[in-house]
Amino acid sequence: MDRYLRDGPLLDLPIHPRQHAFQAGKSTESALHQLVNRIERALDAGQYALGVFFDIQGAFDNTPLVSVRRALRDHKVSFAVQQWISALLHQRKVGVKVGSIYIRVKTQCGLPQGVDCHQPSGLVADSLLKWLSKRGVFAQGFADDGTILIIGRVVSTLCDIMQRMLHGVEKWCTDRQLFVNPTKTEMILFTRKYKPDSVVPIIFYGKELEQKNPSKISWSNT
């Protein structure tokens, strides 16, 4: 099954190149290097770089089977293999024993975790990166963590574009029964200007994003 996915569907429709998980030779370091390089080039050109760092909440634990099936169809995986993977995920049982008490339940959602590029969670998240990239913005991911970076000279324009992109992220998550926690989402305006233009309020899941100081950003979200 692994060989079929690697040598078939993922050759014809490969995972997004800016997904730094599930792919050989990529890591959090490659993601950070790519992002910092993009930001530094913008600053050297006298531009602003507006970044939003988000996390798909409980992607491994909460991804529903219907979203996995959709991702497999999008990658044109054969119907027989779709059924096999669906059965594997749907028929799993989890057991836990504490003292003399033993509980065993059938899983309703969630995915196994690993590092292979064909991991279902990687295929599910792949469509979000592709959607963002088609809108002309820089986006990258590491498993369930995502980054959107928009570069330009007018802050208000960057904010307008970012707002549209985040509306798209909300819709994507809703369609796949997933969620991004806005309180764990970080927004930063990177600039070398002493008195930069003000950021227009950006709303994400009904909450205004707080602008963070670039020196205090948690780079783990890349």
Side-chain angles (χ1 to χ4, degrees):
M1 193 63 64
D2 174 68
R3 181 56 61 93
Y4 161 75
L5 291 170
R6 290 176 182 274
D7 295 347
L10 291 180
L11 277 182
D12 297 331
L13 293 170
I15 205 164
H16 196 282
R18 288 201 292 270
Q19 171 58 261
H20 291 264
F22 318 120
Q23 300 195 73
K26 295 186 178 182
S27 64
T28 54
E29 290 184 2
S30 65
L32 185 59
H33 174 76
Q34 185 183 62
L35 180 64
V36 171
N37 183 57
R38 182 67 64 107
I39 293 171
E40 288 181 340
R41 291 208 314 266
L43 300 186
D44 289 342
Q47 297 176 304
Y48 292 101
L50 180 64
V52 167
F53 305 82
F54 61 90
D55 173 83
I56 301 174
Q57 187 168 300
F60 290 109
D61 300 329
N62 300 323
T63 300
L65 182 57
V66 64
S67 296
V68 175
R69 288 172 175 164
R70 179 175 181 174
L72 294 172
R73 288 196 303 270
D74 289 345
H75 281 80
K76 301 188 185 305
V77 175
S78 72
F79 182 74
V81 174
Q82 292 182 39
Q83 293 293 90
W84 187 88
I85 293 176
S86 296
L88 176 67
L89 296 175
H90 184 65
Q91 296 175 13
R92 289 175 300 145
K93 294 183 179 180
V94 178
V96 60
K97 183 177 182 180
V98 179
S100 60
I101 301 175
Y102 179 76
I103 299 175
R104 191 182 189 195
V105 298
K106 183 177 180 181
T107 60
Q108 301 297 317
C109 60
L111 303 168
Q113 298 188 41
V115 296
D116 294 320
C117 67
H118 66 269
Q119 178 158 297
S121 61
L123 298 182
V124 173
D126 188 53
S127 64
L128 178 58
L129 279 180
K130 289 179 178 177
W131 183 87
L132 289 167
S133 296
K134 288 179 180 178
R135 269 67 192 169
V137 301
F138 174 85
Q140 67 174 191
F142 187 87
D144 54 354
D145 292 328
T147 300
I148 303 173
L149 186 72
I150 302 176
I151 294 170
R153 297 186 181 278
V154 181
V155 173
S156 60
T157 301
L158 302 187
C159 293
D160 288 342
I161 296 172
M162 183 65 77
Q163 183 67 83
R164 293 199 300 271
M165 295 305 102
L166 292 181
H167 280 322
V169 172
E170 285 188 48
K171 185 179 184 304
W172 181 89
C173 288
T174 300
D175 290 345
R176 289 159 181 80
Q177 301 176 40
L178 295 170
F179 176 72
V180 172
N181 190 340
T183 62
K184 295 183 178 180
T185 299
E186 297 180 321
M187 179 179 69
I188 294 187
L189 181 66
F190 298 93
T191 180
R192 290 191 179 133
K193 295 185 178 182
Y194 180 69
K195 292 184 178 181
D197 297 337
S198 299
V199 172
V200 176
I202 294 177
I203 307 301
F204 194 35
Y205 281 96
K207 296 183 179 297
E208 182 178 333
L209 291 182
E210 179 185 354
Q211 184 178 345
K212 301 289 186 177
N213 187 317
S215 65
K216 298 179 180 180
I217 178 67
S218 172
W219 289 104
S220 63
N221 278 354
T222 62

